[in-house]
Amino acid sequence: MSSLSTSNTTSFSERYGRLLPGLLLSGMIAWGAIQLGKLEWMQSHGMSALTLAIMLGIVLGNSVYGRLAPACGAGVTFSKQTLLRLGIILYGFRLTFQDIGQVGLAGIAIDALVLASTFGLAMLLGTTVFKLERNCAILIGAGSSICGAAAVMATEPVVKGRSEDVTVAVSTVVVFGTIAIFLYPVLYQLNLGWQVLGATPAAFGVYIGSTVHEVAQVVAAGKSIGQEAANAAVIAKMVRVMMLAPFLVILSAVLARGKARSGSGDGKASKLAMPWFAFIFIGVVAFNSLGLLPAGMVATITELDTALLAMAMAALGLTTHMSAIGRAGIKPLLLAGLLFCWLIAGGAAINHVVASLFA
């Protein structure tokens, strides 16, 4: 009995002890990113903890990590896979179904049309015009159409993308999302004269939330206009984020069907790679909508969630080589740039038409 107990203890320590160095490294980078993200300058420029974590990870990954990889590799892989899924699930505590009620049917329709048109355009341009690999186009499309880096990371397990593809997609989110922070206040002033999107800050806030990439970038752009615009922008953005789960389920089904048609997988019927964490994410949103947990506990959970996602981002950065990003070339950036133009112009048209129909 004593021998069996010792064996179990040894097995446990061997299995999870090897994860510890990588988890500590990812955790240290995440902690540094979170602290930097609290700085006023970082917040005003939409630099979230997630963005900073992948940037710090890339710097270390292309300098000292090579010597640490033998000891840290297992924990780093665990961070960018298992902790990522847990982070996406806990992200549901930031959302409630009541958010949908605040933007109404018009807001839901706007978000859905922006998501579908942007992702469709990404696939069309990415695979036919720029001749990118399908997974790369999917990841860039997900980041642009839904919620930036979080959407890219959530989509990666479904498409089984390479680290460099994920990093390229996240990089485009950083570049164009940062431009949006400074561009949208200028567009707001122009809209006061044109009134394409109505004259109220709230109407323009919905436009921001439905077209800007990252949540942090939405907050920064909205606050530069005013609190009313920021509130509407965040609500519209949260509804857009909520569409991540059905998007992943549909994407998984489409990819499985495509594999079955092409006959890949040794001639066997392709199995649907169901993203179960997406369903759990919706369940968490539903539970959070009931308001059963104290606000302080929810705040603590969201802080934990930020830490988990930052660790996943740090791990991604650590395993990304700049040479691989260089090999990707200018085409991913051009694709993301065209999608950004569509979000601005096409998104404005969608907002205008839908708002007119529901007026």
Side-chain angles (χ1 to χ4, degrees):
M1 185 72 177
S2 176
S3 175
L4 179 61
S5 176
T6 303
S7 176
N8 289 338
T9 302
T10 302
S11 176
F12 180 87
S13 62
E14 287 179 352
R15 180 179 300 176
Y16 295 99
R18 64 191 181 88
L19 300 179
L20 190 57
L23 289 173
L24 287 174
L25 179 60
S26 300
M28 289 172 61
I29 297 172
W31 181 85
I34 291 170
Q35 298 309 310
L36 287 173
K38 293 178 181 178
L39 298 177
E40 185 177 347
W41 187 91
M42 294 293 185
Q43 293 180 356
S44 65
H45 290 78
M47 298 295 286
S48 68
L50 303 190
T51 300
L52 293 167
I54 193 171
M55 292 171 65
L56 290 173
I58 288 173
V59 171
L60 293 176
N62 288 272
S63 54
V64 301
Y65 181 65
R67 295 190 294 272
L68 303 175
C72 298
V76 168
T77 300
F78 183 85
S79 294
K80 72 176 184 178
Q81 293 179 353
T82 305
L83 293 189
L84 166 65
R85 289 168 174 78
L86 180 57
I88 296 297
I89 289 169
L90 294 182
Y91 202 93
F93 280 101
R94 303 171 190 263
L95 311 169
T96 66
F97 289 142
Q98 287 83 348
D99 292 336
I100 296 177
Q102 292 189 52
V103 300
L105 290 176
I108 297 172
I110 288 170
D111 280 337
L113 288 171
V114 169
L115 191 163
S117 61
T118 304
F119 186 76
L121 191 61
M123 294 307 298
L124 177 65
L125 294 176
T127 57
T128 62
V129 177
F130 294 110
K131 306 298 182 183
L132 295 172
E133 291 185 8
R134 184 189 62 177
N135 286 353
C136 185
I138 288 174
L139 293 170
I140 292 173
S144 297
S145 62
I146 308 174
C147 54
V152 174
M153 295 292 285
T155 305
E156 185 275 332
V158 177
V159 301
K160 297 179 174 60
R162 299 174 302 175
S163 292
E164 51 265 34
D165 289 336
V166 177
T167 303
V168 166
V170 172
S171 300
T172 63
V173 168
V174 174
V175 171
F176 292 104
T178 302
I179 293 173
I181 295 170
F182 301 100
L183 179 61
Y184 274 65
V186 176
L187 294 177
Y188 174 71
Q189 293 301 322
L190 293 174
N191 184 63
L192 291 177
W194 298 342
Q195 294 196 11
V196 174
L197 302 167
T200 66
F204 197 84
V206 172
Y207 170 57
I208 293 173
S210 63
T211 56
V212 175
H213 302 67
E214 286 268 9
V215 175
Q217 294 158 354
V218 166
V219 173
K223 283 188 175 181
S224 66
I225 294 169
Q227 194 58 48
E228 185 181 352
N231 292 343
V234 170
I235 292 170
K237 183 62 178 179
M238 289 298 99
V239 172
R240 192 169 154 211
V241 170
M242 211 175 294
M243 294 177 179
L244 176 63
F247 166 82
L248 293 176
V249 174
I250 294 170
L251 177 64
S252 180
V254 170
L255 293 178
R257 186 177 180 183
K259 287 181 180 178
R261 283 182 173 178
S262 65
S264 61
D266 299 327
K268 298 179 181 179
S270 180
K271 183 179 179 182
L272 179 62
M274 189 62 69
W276 293 109
F277 65 92
F279 290 101
I280 303 173
F281 165 81
I282 288 294
V284 170
V285 174
F287 176 76
N288 193 45
S289 301
L290 300 175
L292 299 178
L293 297 182
M297 183 177 294
V298 173
T300 300
I301 292 173
T302 56
E303 287 182 7
L304 172 63
D305 177 54
T306 298
L308 291 174
L309 289 175
M311 287 179 69
M313 284 290 188
L316 173 63
L318 286 170
T319 55
T320 299
H321 301 290
M322 292 303 295
S323 58
I325 298 177
R327 286 195 299 271
I330 193 66
K331 290 181 179 180
L333 196 63
L334 290 175
L335 172 60
L338 288 175
L339 295 180
F340 180 55
C341 292
W342 167 252
L343 286 168
I344 293 171
I350 290 172
N351 272 261
H352 174 75
V353 171
V354 173
S356 300
L357 291 175
F358 281 86

